[in-house]
Structure formats: C-alpha cells, structure tokens
C-alpha cells in the first residue's frame, strides 16, 4: 500500500492494490486444478488481487473510518429506529453452537437453536397479540410479500378470487405497494385527512367485495397514532377484507397496545429496528410475520413446533404458501432479538416505547421553536418537520439541512418522506439517546436554520468537513459505473 | 418557455403536427419540474398508442414519471439518442429532446389539446 | 435496559412537552389498552442472560459431530481478520448509505463486492446483494419475465430443491407457471429433453445450477444454448456453492445472461441457515431490470472520486407498485464479510481452497468406494457427491448419527427415486481422519445383513 493517505484523498480500490503471489496464506497450497477436473470445465484465469493481511486490514479499517454508524454518533433517521445495538447480542449470536450449526442438522441435534426460535416466537405473540409468528422472512419487505401471498391463497381457497385490491394510505412505506404488485394485487392509494390520519369514512368509500387487504402502520409514518384504527378495521372486515400491520413503527407501542387488539389479522416486525439488531449498512434484516388464528396454517414453511419439551421444524403444512428463503431464518438475528428480550423483559419493553415517545415529543416541541411542524400535537416515536417555509424565504431545502447536519457531526434525518409533506424532515430519536444528546442535536439544527437566514450559501455548499463533498448523483445515474474493470 | 407553434396537454407534453405526422416531447416546464433526467423509457416502434395513454417513463435521480401521448397514432420513430444522452430533454426539450414520432390516427383529436396561450395559463396557476 | 433517563430528565422533558405523565403521553382509546400482563421472557442482568442463552445453545447440539452436510450451506475456513474488520461498529451499526458523504467507506466496499461478483461470474454488473440464493433465483425469474413479457418459467430438477420451492412461492404470487426439466441417469439436467421443451413452449427463462444440487457440473452445451436462444428465453445460471466460481468456467462462458447465487461460502457463518448473502449478476442489457441496491462510482462537487447509491428510480421507495422488486433491506453486512474474505484470500488463496475442496472430496469418494459403497454418478463433481447405500438412506444416516457422524443429506427427501442415496460434502475443513471414520462406519452399517 502507498504512503498513509490523508483523510481527504481517495481510497484506492482493493483491485488497485497488491501483487500476484503476495496474499497471506490461510490454507495449504492446493494441487493444480487440472489434476482433479477435465480442462474444459475449468476457468482460464481468476483476475483477483493478492494482498497481505496487513494491507487488507488497513484498507477496510480505513473504509470503516469513512462510514457513519450509531456507534459513531446520533442517528435520528425517521422510520428506521437507529437505537443502540447492545454488544451482548453479537457475542451471543457468535456462540459456537449457534454460529457453526448447519441448517440441515437433524432436529434432535438442533434443540438449542429451535428453543431460541420458539421462545422468541411465543414472546412476540404475547407482545403483539398474534396467534403465531413465522421467523422465516429475511426482512420486513419479504414478510409483507409473504403476508400478501397468504391473503391471496386464503381468498382463493374461499372462492373469493375477485378480491384483487390492496388499500394503502399515502403515508405508507414504498415496500407496501411494491409487495402488493408482486402478488398481482392492484393498489388503491388512500389520502390522509388534514390531521394526517386515515379517515374511517374514507375507508368505507373504497372497501367492497374486491377488497383483499388494507395495509397500515400505527403509529403512521408521520408519527401519529391512528386512534380510530378499530373503526377502520371494522370497515375492512365488514367488507370481507384483511387488515395488515406494517410493524416498522412497533417501537412506539410495545407494552402499551397491541396490533392484534386493534383488529389486525397479519403483521410484520422489523426485528432489526425494534429489537436492536445492527443494520449492518443495509442488512441483513429480519422480518417476522405474525398472523391471527384463522391464518396460522398459511404461514411459510418450516414452522417451529413444540412437542413436550422437544422442538422440531414442521415442513408438512399443506395449506402453507411454501418457503420464502433458502433456509429457516436469519437465525443469528433471532438469537440477538431473544437476547434483547431477556435484557428487558415485559417491563423494560414497556419503558422502551415510553421513552421513545418521550424523546420524540421533547424534540418535537424544541424543533417547533424554529421549524414548521405540520402536525403540532402529541406524536409517538417520531415526528415530521417541514422546510417548505424556509425554502421560500431562503432557498435552503431539506436536503441542504441534511447535509449541514453531517458537517456538525450528526446523521441526517430521513428526508422527503413521507411524500405528502413537502420538504419533509422525519426525525426519530429513539429511546437510547440521552437528553443531552437531544439538546445538542436541537442546538445544531437551530444553528442551521439561523445560518439559512444569514448565510444560506454555507448550507448550499455543505457538507465540507466530510471525506467528499456533495456527490454528483445525476452523473452516477446517467453514466452508470457499477464496477471496476481490469486495465487492458 | 412555451413555443407558439405547438399544442399542449395538461400532462405537460407538447405535440407538433405536420401532415399525418406528429412529434411529441415534454415541455420546458415539465423538464424543469422533473430535474436532471437520467433515463427515458420509450415505446417500441410499431406500437399503437391512444390519446392521453401512457407511452413510457422518464426518470430523474429520485423520481419516476409517466409519459402520456397527447394524441393517438402509431409509433414510427423514437429518439434513440436519448439512450446515451437523456440530458437532451433538459437541454432542449422542444428540439433534440423530442421523444417519439407518430403516424396520426385522427388529427381531429387536436381539439382536445391546449393552445399555447391556454397552456401558459395552466402553468402560471 | 439500555435507556438513559434519570427521574429528573423525565420530569424536565415532560414539562417541556407540557404533559403530566408518561401514561398521559401514551394514552390510547380504552378498547386498545392491554387487558392482560404480557407473557415474555423474564428480564435478566447481562451476565445471567448470557448464561441462560449459552445454556440453551448447548442443548442437544450436533455442532461437534463429524459433518458431511452441504446442500447449499458449507463449512469453510474464515480467516480471523474477517470478524475483526466486519464487526467494527462503524460498519455494523450503519444504516443503508443514503447520505453518501458520510458513507463513502461502506459504499466503496459494496462497489468492490459488485466488482468481485462480476469478476467471478464473468458478468457485466452485479447488485449490492439480495437475501439468499433461493430468492436470487426467484428475483432473476421475475427479471426474465419482465424482459420477455412471458409468464412461464423452466427450471432444471437438479437446481437446489429449496430454491425451486421458493421460486414456486414467488411465482404463485405472480400467477406464473413453472415447468421442470428432468434429470439424466447421471445426475445432470437432461439437455435433450430440455431442448424439446424449449421447442414446444415459450419460456421467460431457463435456470440451470452448476455445480448442481448433486455436486455435478451441469451447464448448457452449445446445442442447448442455441435452443434457448431460438426460444427467446433468458438463460439463468444458479450458483449455490460460490467457491466453485474460483475453479470452474464462468456462467457467462456457457451462456448465462443472469447469474443468481449464494455467497455464504465466502466467510459468512453457517449459523443454522442465516443470514446469508444472495447475489444477482447480469449483462448490461438487463441493467435496469436488476432488483436491489446498486452502488455507482461518480464524483463530488470538487471532482473527487465518490460512490453513491444509484439507479434508484428502479426501486420501491420511488417507483412503489411499479418497482422491479419490493426489496429494501439487502444483506450488506454479509456482502461486506464476503468482500473481506475475497480480499484476504486473493486469487492464490481462493484457488488453493478450491483445489483443497476438490482433493478432499475425491479422497472422500475413494474412501467410501473402498468401503463398498457405490458412487451414484460419474459426472465431474466439485465438492459434493452422491453415494447409493442400497437401503433407505434415512436408516443409514441414523446409524451414522449413533457413531457421532452427520453423514449427509437423505436425497429421498426431495427425490423419491434416490431414496437410497446420500449427498455428502467435503471441504478444506474435512480431515483425512474424519473421512476414515466415516468410511469405517459406513462399512459397518451397510454390511449386508447389518442391523442398522
């Protein structure tokens, strides 16, 4: 590797480093491949770089230093629940009996792993008021897909194949309509009312004999609690449809209220949000899928069942939609989630949602002192602010505020989502952040809004303290460069 | 910027009718609202399209918008240059940034379109 | 509990909000109040929760058995540097890199991952990962349907049975029909029948796996590829053992336009099935149909090299119901692990590991043959092989288990005609001692008349 690079110089690609034959040796040298296989089935060349362990360690250490995680600083990314990921979770996921267990190990030699799955599933059922959970889906979006496949099969078996509409509020996550489309459902988008909620009267005008599923999250993506959820569920049920709960925001209601009691028939959790699994830069996630009693038989295979004090994977479930992934679950995450449940217990989880809501409301009133908050009422775990007025006055947009926050050492909130709020900033502090951290962030945001009025150019130029300045996304999309190519 | 010799749709597309041929594009107002256009997906030549029906999509970095044809006809040519240079739509929406050429089905449909003055009013709202 | 608030903090914050209590803050309508106490696992201090879960982990665990299990999940050596690097908090606790300026490191690592997958498969581009091998195949099938506008898909019976099952789950949602191409008696796809099927029916895509589920090399030959082209179907190569890419001719070389694979073998813990890391690689022609995130190289405002998520308009958060897929979260952290694995091993190390897998699996083949057990197929294989034990495989495997050996997979579970056959894997971690132990045990339990 070349001389130590300063922070701002580009980091070479791993392919631009190394020399053939330099790789640190981890296994014995093997015999030439052609001594085992006919030449015709072998590849000619393997154009990968050889680097020493030290060079690889420095390279990826440097890349880590150019990456912002929760461990680095405050991460108020709305809807993503970036709370502290306890280190004990990772330690336990790495226990040899779990980390080295092959998925095809017979059930009677996988009892520990199966018990972990079972304990987590039972706890989820109680926490969210569902009859059963499948721990199989790899992420929330995949759980949505599985849930809609269940709905499709359920209606087909009831002879109600005309049910081809899925109702989705305009505040919903993009995965909702995308999942619906993957099951051949047509999407009906529902406008939120002036209070940012779904109006039961509005639901009544769209439900009918073609309604399959209504997908909602509660609190919704504006952070507002849908208090009339029962009326909405009744309207959908009376029309013969099913209610789906998008659990992306479950951090706001654990131990307080349950989707099952609100009338939801299906739900998913984003274990990586609510139950402190590290997001790992965008996965792996984990999306347990919960169902009410009448849909248990349809869950994906396999499903963990208990017989006496033994557990087994049940593959023989004739009504199941089938498997949704290569193996049984993102098991390492199941271990992490269970560790988190043990760390908190029922009482602790209740406090988690209380403090998440407390932190969000505290920030909401503080931020409202200098930025428009379009829904000025008690919120749940997150709230939205809007830079629309600021943009009119100063030309500074939500994007610029986000970039200026990076310069002040904070991750930016979610911006431009939900789509119904112009110049939206969606802020979710989570329960693990202290009052001092929240105060610090609010002060930085206040400083940015003041700077917008005195020196907007500074914000339009932001960020300037990061390893690169504002990135040219247009060029990236117009001339896609998605890989390195060997020099000719 | 509205061109005086063209007709417009409420969806911000323009059409230039010459005999039984029509050239279609998006307006300057539309390209401005869309932002930097990075990709344009157009119909295959030979396809028949109905007035106000969708004929493709235009992508900016963080948005996707449907393209609608202001008039019915058969697609006879698409602007292949946009494949490598989608920026032409931003640069020259009424010229190099044209999208498709149609063989007209019914030039009478022009009565459903907006005259330049009316379109100007629409975008001023 | 990982919450920070003192009593004074709570009071100060409630006062700022202008509300009396936490209960008031979280008030819900009466009918939504909890009616019974929650029944979740009890709260334990960290040292006790560690004990509790470690104790559960040890319960009836097969982890110390001598193992020849494979079938899409493989035991390979992972250098210690992988976890030291991948478990760094900056990587581990980052979100999807939406804010590129503070995510350059992760974005660059994913760009490197995309490149590694391209170099290994011979394709033009690869995505930032999908959930696993099975969903990679399902998503590839959807790509082929979108490319062709057709609603029927052809898959070889030699493709991993779990992958085919997941393909069916996804296809049921889209009302897409699946046909299966049969096997030859030598454990490969019957290319003659495949060609016939292609003559008769229009397919969106055709999927073959190599090495296939039986461990055998199984690719399209020139003639079969021609019939795929004539049909207009998209040829798809499936990879369940990514290590084979280091040794075998690339899927691109036998005509695949999409490669759907699983990269668990590259340092990702076997962890009872997940998380693993699927990948999709393809040709430039299908660039805009590929699902999932893509990282692109570009410049910043000062013209410096920079990386960013790109072509996002394909994705669900923008295109919603018209997106190429509903995928949101991918398997970034597993992709990072695989990238670091590949960087550490390098060309030399990866070739060595592949060679050792070939060597050990051939040692296994010889040992079981010497023990009097027949190899079922004669096709060239990578690191898995099928033996015919001449009686129900389940019985033999149970008897091996008594002797501390997980002998492999009972193929009868998926292929009734192979109910006397076992799929066995040997990797660089398989020792000669383990092979000898298996061979001796097999000889004992399959001896004519032996009670098993």
């Amino acid at each position: 590797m070349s001389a130590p690079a300063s922070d701002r110089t580009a980091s070479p690609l791993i392919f631009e480093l190394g020399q053939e034959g330099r790789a640190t040796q981890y296994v014995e040298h093997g015999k030439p491949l052609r001594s085992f296989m006919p030449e015709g089935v072998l590849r000619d060349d393997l154009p990968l770089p050889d680097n020493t362990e030290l060079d690889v360690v420095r390279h990826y250490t440097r890349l880590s230093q150019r990456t912002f995680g929760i461990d680095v600083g405050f991460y108020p990314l709305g809807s993503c629940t970036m709370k502290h990921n306890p280190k004990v979770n990772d330690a336990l996921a790495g226990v040899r009996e779990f980390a080295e267990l092959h998925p095809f190990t017979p059930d009677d030699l996988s009892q520990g792993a199966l018990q972990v799955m079972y304990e987590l599933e039972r706890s989820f059922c109680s926490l969210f008021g569902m009859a059963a959970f499948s721990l199989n889906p790899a992420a929330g979006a995949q759980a949505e897909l599985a849930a809609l496949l269940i709905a499709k099969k359920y209606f087909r078996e009831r002879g109600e194949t005309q049910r081809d509409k899925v109702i989705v509020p305009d505040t919903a996550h993009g995965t909702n309509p995308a999942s619906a489309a993957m099951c051949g459902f047509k999407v009906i988008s529902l406008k939120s009312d002036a209070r940012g909620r779904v109006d039961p009267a509005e639901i009544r005008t769209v439900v009918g004999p073609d309604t399959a599923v209504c997908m909602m999250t509660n609190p919704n993506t504006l952070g507002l609690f849908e208090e009339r959820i029962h009326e909405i569920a009744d309207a959908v049920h009376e029309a013969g449809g099913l209610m789906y709960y998008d659990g992306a925001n479950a951090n706001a209601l654990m131990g307080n209220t349950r989707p099952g009691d609100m009338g939801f028939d299906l739900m998913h959790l984003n274990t990586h949000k609510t139950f402190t699994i590290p997001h790992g830069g965008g996965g792996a996630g984990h999306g347990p899928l919960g169902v009410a009693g009448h849909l248990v038989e349809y869950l994906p295979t396999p499903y963990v069942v208990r017989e006496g004090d033994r557990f087994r994977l049940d593959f023989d479930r004739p009504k199941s939609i089938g498997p949704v992934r290569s193996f049984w679950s993102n098991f390492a995450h199941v271990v992490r989630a269970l560790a988190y449940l043990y760390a908190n217990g029922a009482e602790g989880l209740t406090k988690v949602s209380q403090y998440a809501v407390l932190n969000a409301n505290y920030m909401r009133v503080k931020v409202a002192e200098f930025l428009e908050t379009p829904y000025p009422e008690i919120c749940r775990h997150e709230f939205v602010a809007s830079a629309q007025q600021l943009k009119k006055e100063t030309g500074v947009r939500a994007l610029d505020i986000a970039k200026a926050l990076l310069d002040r050492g904070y991750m930016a909130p979610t911006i431009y989502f939900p789509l119904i709020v112009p110049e939206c900033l969606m802020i979710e502090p989570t329960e693990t952040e202290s009052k001092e951290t929240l105060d610090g962030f609010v002060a930085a945001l206040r400083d940015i809004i003041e700077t917008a009025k005195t020196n907007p150019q500074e914000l339009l130029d932001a960020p300037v303290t990061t390893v690169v300045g504002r990135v040219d996304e247009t060029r990236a999309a117009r001339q896609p460069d998605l890989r390195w190519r060997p020099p000719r | 910027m509205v061109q005086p010799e063209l007709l417009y749709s409420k969806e911000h597309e323009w059409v230039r009718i010459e005999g039984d041929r029509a050239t279609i594009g998006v307006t300057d107002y539309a390209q401005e609202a869309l932002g930097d256009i990075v990709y344009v997906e157009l119909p295959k030549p030979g396809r028949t399209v109905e007035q106000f029906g969708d004929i493709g999509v235009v992508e900016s970095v963080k948005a996707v918008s449907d393209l609608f044809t202001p008039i019915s006809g058969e697609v006879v040519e698409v602007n292949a240059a946009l494949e490598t240079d989608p920026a032409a739509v931003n640069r020259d929406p009424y010229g190099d940034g044209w999208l498709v050429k149609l063989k007209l089905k019914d030039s009478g449909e022009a009565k459903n379109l907006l005259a330049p003055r009316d379109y100007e009013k629409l975008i001023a709202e | 509990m990982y919450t920070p608030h003192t009593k004074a903090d709570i009071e100060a914050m409630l006062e700022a909000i202008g509300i009396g209590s936490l209960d008031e803050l979280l008030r819900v309508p009466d009918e939504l109040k909890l009616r019974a106490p929650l029944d979740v696992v009890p709260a334990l201090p960290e040292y006790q929760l560690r004990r509790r879960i470690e104790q559960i982990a040890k319960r009836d665990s097969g982890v110390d058995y001598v193992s020849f299990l494979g079938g899409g999940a493989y035991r390979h050596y992972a250098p210690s540097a992988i976890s030291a690097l991948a478990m760094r908090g900056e990587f581990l606790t980052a979100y999807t890199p939406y804010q590129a300026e503070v995510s350059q490191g992760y974005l660059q690592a994913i760009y490197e991952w995309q490149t590694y997958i391209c170099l290994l498969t011979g394709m033009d581009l690869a995505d930032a990962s999908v959930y696993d091998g099975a969903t990679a195949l399902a998503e590839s099938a959807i790509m082929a349907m979108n490319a062709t506008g057709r609603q029927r898909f052809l898959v070889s019976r030699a493709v991993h049975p779990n992958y085919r099952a997941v393909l069916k789950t996804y296809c049921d949602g889209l009302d897409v029909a699946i046909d299966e191409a049969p096997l030859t008696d030598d454990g490969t796809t019957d290319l003659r029948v495949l060609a016939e099927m292609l003559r008769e029916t229009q397919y969106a895509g055709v999927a073959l796996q190599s090495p296939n589920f039986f461990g055998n090399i199984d690719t399209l030959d020139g003639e079969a590829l021609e019939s795929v082209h004539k049909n207009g179907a998209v040829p798809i190569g499936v990879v369940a053992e990514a290590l084979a890419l280091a040794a075998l001719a690339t899927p691109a070389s036998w005509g695949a336009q999409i490669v759907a694979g699983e990269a668990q073998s590259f340092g990702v813990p076997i962890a009872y099935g997940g998380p693993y890391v699927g990948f999709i690689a393809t040709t430039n022609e299908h660039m805009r149909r590929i699902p999932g995130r893509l990282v692109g190289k570009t410049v910043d405002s000062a013209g410096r090299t920079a990386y960013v998520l790109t072509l996002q308009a394909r994705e669900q958060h923008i295109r919603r119901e018209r997106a190429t897929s509903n995928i949101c979260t991918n398997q970034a952290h597993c992709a990072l692990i695989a990238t670091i694995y590949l960087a550490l091993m390098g060309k030399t190390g990866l070739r060595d590991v592949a060679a050792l897998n070939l060597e050990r699996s051939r040692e296994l083949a010889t040992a079981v043959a010497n023990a009097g057990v027949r190899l079922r197929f004669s096709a060239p294989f990578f690191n898995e092989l099928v033996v015919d034990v001449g009686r129900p495989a389940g019985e033999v495997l149970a008897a091996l288990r008594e002797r501390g050996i997980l002998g492999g997979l009972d193929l009868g579970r998926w292929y009734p005609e192979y109910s006397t056959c076992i799929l066995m894997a040997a990797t660089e971690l398989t020792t000669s001692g383990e092979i000898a132990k298996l061979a001796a045990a097999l000889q004992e339990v399959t001896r004519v008349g032996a009670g098993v």
Side-chain angles (χ1 to χ4, degrees), chain A residues 50 60 64 119 280 282 309, chain C residues 52 59 88 106 112 330 348:
Chain A
D50 274 354
Y60 290 102
S64 78
E119 284 193 6
D309 66 342
Chain C
R52 163 87 187 145
R59 196 181 157 193
R88 288 180 63 92
Y106 219 129
E112 292 181 350
N330 56 33
T348 308

Side-chain angles (χ1 to χ4, degrees), chain A residues 122-123 126-127 346, chain C residues 37-41:
Chain A
R122 286 293 103 197
S123 293
S126 172
L127 261 177
Chain C
L38 295 173
D39 181 20
V40 303
V41 299

Side-chain angles (χ1 to χ4, degrees), chain A residues 216-454:
Chain A
M216 288 186 60
T217 177
N218 194 15
N220 64 27
T221 57
L222 298 167
L224 303 173
F225 193 75
E226 304 269 4
E227 341 51 6
R228 300 178 71 187
I229 189 68
H230 246 297
E231 294 172 60
I232 295 167
D234 286 348
V236 171
H237 286 149
E238 279 161 27
L242 295 171
M243 287 291 291
Y244 181 82
Y245 178 75
D246 172 343
N249 298 339
N251 206 41
L253 50 71
M254 280 189 297
N256 179 232
T257 178
R258 312 192 305 171
D261 297 337
M262 296 176 195
F264 286 100
D265 307 288
L266 297 140
M267 69 171 287
H268 83 258
L269 290 167
N270 298 89
T271 316
H272 53 285
K273 297 180 181 175
T274 316
F275 297 92
T276 65
I277 282 147
H279 286 65
H286 182 222
L289 165 62
V291 289
H294 55 296
L295 298 172
V296 174
E297 294 171 294
Y298 296 89
L299 283 177
T301 50
Y303 177 70
V304 180
V305 293
R306 178 179 180 160
E307 282 156 1
D309 66 342
R310 309 286 293 174
F311 305 92
R312 69 179 174 85
L313 290 173
D314 185 9
F315 289 87
D316 184 20
R317 302 175 69 81
K319 284 197 169 182
S320 163
I321 56 162
V324 294
R325 51 177 300 143
S326 303
F327 296 106
W328 332 136
S329 72
N330 277 356
F331 179 72
H333 287 354
V334 174
V335 177
R336 287 182 169 98
L338 187 67
Y340 181 68
L341 284 192
Y342 271 113
N344 287 281
E347 206 179 314
L349 293 173
T350 306
K351 286 225 166 68
V352 161
S353 52
Q354 285 177 346
Y355 292 171
V357 174
L358 177 68
N359 280 4
N361 277 287
Y362 176 70
M363 281 188 84
R364 180 181 55 78
V365 297
K366 292 285 174 190
V367 168
E369 290 170 10
F370 51 83
L371 204 56
E372 199 185 336
T373 49
Y375 302 93
E377 56 172 302
I378 295 297
C379 63
R380 283 279 164 153
H381 62 304
E382 65 192 6
F383 68 98
V384 293
S386 169
Q388 192 180 20
Q389 195 54 37
L390 188 77
K391 183 181 157 192
K392 275 190 200 139
E393 289 165 13
T394 67
V396 169
R397 300 164 298 161
L399 178 73
D400 306 311
I401 297 174
K403 299 303 179 193
L405 279 165
L406 305 181
D407 270 339
R408 285 157 178 81
Y410 295 102
M411 178 50 78
T414 297
I415 49 175
Y416 300 109
F417 183 84
L419 308 172
I420 61 167
V421 178
E423 296 298 325
C424 186
L425 294 143
M426 185 192 198
I427 300 174
E428 178 179 11
T430 83
E431 73 281 1
T432 53
E433 301 295 342
S434 68
K435 181 169 174 295
E436 290 86 335
T437 302
L438 305 186
D439 287 338
F441 178 83
V442 169
L445 196 54
R446 187 191 300 269
D447 174 56
I448 290 167
I449 304 308
E450 272 157 25
T451 308
K453 290 167 185 164
T454 55

Side-chain angles (χ1 to χ4, degrees), chain C residues 174-294:
Chain C
L174 292 161
D175 300 312
V176 167
I178 303 171
D179 290 332
E180 295 196 334
L183 306 172
T184 63
D185 194 46
D186 206 21
T188 56
T189 307
D190 192 327
L191 295 179
R192 238 178 266 169
V193 178
L194 181 99
E196 269 168 43
M197 296 175 85
L198 286 163
R199 269 195 293 278
E200 278 160 25
T201 312
Q202 287 199 321
Y203 289 105
V206 181
L208 263 71
Q209 176 180 324
S210 186
N212 67 21
F213 187 64
F214 310 114
N216 297 329
I217 311 303
D218 193 359
T219 61
L220 292 172
D221 59 16
E223 223 169 294
L225 181 62
E226 203 186 307
S227 48
V228 175
H229 287 156
K230 271 195 190 141
N231 183 290
V234 179
I236 298 174
V238 181
V239 178
E241 168 50 297
L243 179 65
L245 292 169
L248 303 181
T250 63
S253 73
W254 55 264
Q257 288 176 17
I258 302 176
V259 182
E262 168 63 64
Q264 176 268 328
S265 286
F266 296 152
V268 178
I270 206 161
Y272 201 52
Y276 293 172
V277 52
F279 60 83
I280 297 179
T282 188
T283 55
N284 283 328
E285 185 195 340
H286 298 293
M287 183 195 298
R288 291 183 185 268
R289 297 190 190 98
I290 201 167
R293 313 274 191 214
L294 288 168

Side-chain angles (χ1 to χ4, degrees), chain B residues 15 41 75 86 92 97 113 118 122:
Chain B
V15 55
E41 196 180 294
V75 178
D92 189 8
L113 297 172
D118 297 327
L122 176 79

